[in-house]
Structure formats: structure tokens, C-alpha cells
Amino acid sequence: MSGPLVGVVLVSHSAQVATAVADLAAGLTGGGGDVPVAPAGGGPDGGLGTSSDLIAAAARSVDRGAGVAVLADLGSAVLTVKALLADDELPSGARLVDAPFLEGAVAAVVTASTGADLDAVAAAAADAYTYRKT
Amino acid sequence: MNATPDPEAPVDAAFLRRWLDTAASVMEREASRLTELDSPIGDADHGTNMRRGFLAARTAVEQEPPQTPGGVLVLVGRTLISTVGGASGPLYGTLLRRAGKDLGEEQAVPAARLRDGLRAGVDGVAALGGAVPGDKTMLDALLPALDALTGALDAGGGAADALAAAAAAADEGAKATIPLRARKGRASYLGERSIGHQDPGATSSALLIAALADTAREDG
């Protein structure tokens, strides 16, 4: 591994969903387990919702200097990430990735584990939209 | 900081702190109605979220009162983003933060300048959420309010009258969301079934504009 790995933040309305998807993505990555992945799930009161503080802390915690791919599930999760980015409250290399949450998370973490840059990680996550199931 | 308000520039930090007090009380009083509106077409948390956000904003402003109107709006916006927990957090947070940044460091501004700030904020909301008029969102109350405010000020009206006109237009705009089909947010998944319900976000927007009008009226 030459340089630092891209970090991945998983923002869900549910703390359990964010944590479980992070575990799943890391688990499916096999040997590349050193990708920094952080869940940011649930609202400020711990219930369903979105917490900007959790998102900002998660992004800082996975920032190794190679950029941070942020994936979000729905509505306020997406809007909160956008609002944080618009006001420079996430690490400078952080980017909201347009991707399906679970499939995109797996693609992002697997790709990041190869040492790929943020563009490649984001492209792989977005490409998960094209995976048809029927 | 309690100098006699300049009638030409009535909007200062104290004005917006009084607005925030009123807004927080209104959100406390109206929380159950907002949540009720949010039950058939949303996730039944709008009232709870707005109450939590505005009470937190009031506390934040009381603890370290900003000295400019822009400073008050920026702090309220930032607090809403971090405490609301639903989509209204980043949306209202962006509205108020953009408005506050637009006002910059000015100490006291005329109503027309506040209108310009709010216009910048509403543009920020539209860009963030991607909604257009008629999508059954807060924009359906905010845009008519801005237009009414502009019309009244252009016609030579004072701040209190212009804000009262804005409040009336916002309320009408909120009520006019009833027959609309939602095209944004969770309500949009309901398609036709979102018709017949007043949009909770448009309703809370109208309440916030009404709080501005009440604050100006009490000053007058």
C-alpha cells in the first residue's frame, strides 16, 4: 500500500442500519480491512433521523488525507450532508457520493481497499446503480 | 445595546432575538399540530423536530447573544442543522444561515435589506432541496411571502405592514398546498394520496413569517 486510503462515511436515518452496512461492507472486503469506515446513523436524540455532529465527527475520524466518500440513505441524510459540505464543515477532501446506500457502500469500501483514489471510489459506488437484479 | 430602534432600520440583533423568542414559543405551542399534519404524509416528527431545534436555538442565542442581525440568523441556522434531526434542519438551517451571511456585519438594517437576506436564504433552500413552486414544500409559503413583502415595501409600506402582508401571503400559500401533490421528500412516495393534506413545512414556514410580523407589530 503506497499512500493513505480513502475513507468512507455511511449516513443513515437509523444507527443500526449505518452500523450494519458498515460491518457488511467491511466484512465483504476480505483482506482489505484497513479501509477507514465510519457509520453516522440516527438523529441528535438517538432516534431515527440525521445528526450533523455525528456526520462531521465520522468524516474527521476516517480522513487520512486521501479524501472521504460520504454515502447517505434518504431525505434529511442527503440534505444534511449537502448543507455541511456547502458550509465547509466536513474535511476538505469529503464528497457526497451519488450511490445506492448498501450496494454503493460495498463497492466504495472494496474499491478503497485497493488504494484507489476518491474519484475511482465515487465512480465505483455510483456504478452500483447499474447492477440490475432481474 | 438598547438604543432606541431606528425607524428606518428596525431590524437589529435585538429584533431578531425577540423574533426567535416568539418563534420558539410558537413552535412549542404548535408542535402537536405540525406533527399531526406530518402524520398522514410524513414521518410524524415535524413538530417535535422544530420544537427541539428552536428551543435549542433560543438557548444558544441566550448563552452568547450575537450583536448583529446576521449573527443571530447564522447562529440559529447552525443550531437548527445540528439539533433538528429531520430534513427541516438542513433546509431551515440553510435558509437562516444564508440570510445571515447575506446581512454580513451590518448592525441594523431596513426591512428591504432583511427581505434581500431572506431572498438569498430561500434561493439556498431551493438549491439544496431542488424543489420548485407547486411541489408542496416550504417554498410554497416562502416565495409568496417574499413577493408580498416586496410588493408592500415597493408601495411605500412600513416594516410592520409589509411583514404582516408577508405573513398573510405565507399563510395563504401554506393553505394552498392542500390540493397539491407532493413532489419532494417522503410525502412524494405517496403520490396521489398526498393530495388533500396541508404541507407541514409550508405551515411551519408560515408560522415563522407570522412570528416576524408579530415582532414588528409589537415594536410599532
Side-chain angles (χ1 to χ4, degrees):
Chain A
M1 211 63 67
S2 51
L5 298 181
V6 170
V8 178
V9 171
L10 301 171
V11 185
S12 170
H13 276 58
S14 153
Q16 290 94 326
V17 168
T19 304
V21 171
D23 288 348
L24 176 65
L28 292 179
T29 305
D34 27 346
V35 178
V37 183
D45 59 355
L48 296 182
T50 308
S51 161
S52 65
D53 292 346
L54 281 181
I55 296 169
R60 283 193 300 271
S61 78
V62 299
D63 182 17
R64 303 283 185 273
V68 176
V70 183
L71 285 84
D73 61 1
L74 296 163
S76 63
V78 177
L79 292 179
T80 302
V81 173
K82 284 186 178 176
L84 289 171
L85 286 169
D87 284 291
D88 294 327
E89 288 182 21
L90 296 181
S92 59
R95 186 192 301 178
L96 176 64
V97 172
D98 182 21
F101 190 64
L102 191 153
E103 289 88 340
V106 173
V109 174
V110 170
T111 307
S113 73
T114 67
D117 65 13
L118 180 58
D119 282 341
V121 170
D127 195 50
Y129 273 130
T130 64
Y131 171 62
R132 310 315 317 174
K133 295 174 189 176
T134 61
Chain B
M1 300 308 292
N2 291 318
T4 312
D6 176 356
E8 299 300 314
V11 180
D12 57 8
F15 176 93
L16 287 179
R17 290 203 299 268
R18 288 195 298 279
W19 163 74
L20 176 61
D21 273 347
T22 305
S25 303
V26 167
M27 289 306 153
E28 206 159 20
R29 194 179 68 221
E30 300 286 336
S32 53
R33 182 167 78 98
L34 290 174
T35 288
E36 238 166 71
L37 290 174
D38 196 33
S39 299
I41 59 172
D43 43 3
D45 61 2
H46 190 53
T48 320
N49 287 346
M50 292 295 280
R51 179 176 55 200
R52 180 173 52 236
F54 273 85
L55 292 180
R58 181 161 70 184
T59 302
V61 166
E62 274 167 8
Q63 280 171 352
E64 265 180 71
Q67 297 305 313
T68 61
V72 174
L73 293 177
V74 167
L75 179 54
V76 174
R78 189 185 312 139
T79 309
L80 292 180
I81 291 178
S82 65
T83 57
V84 165
S88 45
L91 290 169
Y92 280 117
T94 295
L95 169 66
L96 298 177
R97 217 152 51 158
R98 286 292 160 79
K101 284 184 180 169
D102 188 74
L103 294 182
E105 296 301 311
E106 293 177 63
Q107 292 290 322
V109 297
R113 187 70 191 84
L114 176 66
R115 184 268 326 268
D116 293 343
L118 291 175
R119 175 82 65 189
V122 171
D123 288 348
V125 170
L128 179 63
V132 296
D135 279 352
K136 201 178 181 99
T137 71
M138 49 198 276
L139 290 182
D140 292 319
L142 294 172
L143 290 170
L146 281 176
D147 289 345
L149 185 55
T150 300
L153 290 172
D154 287 352
D161 289 344
L163 286 168
D171 186 56
E172 247 173 69
K175 292 194 172 104
T177 62
I178 294 174
L180 297 177
R181 175 180 173 161
R183 300 194 187 278
K184 286 286 163 191
R186 184 192 177 284
S188 64
Y189 299 149
L190 296 174
E192 298 286 327
R193 279 178 294 146
S194 65
I195 293 171
H197 301 282
Q198 184 168 328
D199 181 61
T203 307
S204 57
S205 291
L207 291 173
L208 293 174
I209 304 284
L212 266 183
D214 288 346
T215 306
R217 199 185 57 232
E218 283 158 17
D219 281 7

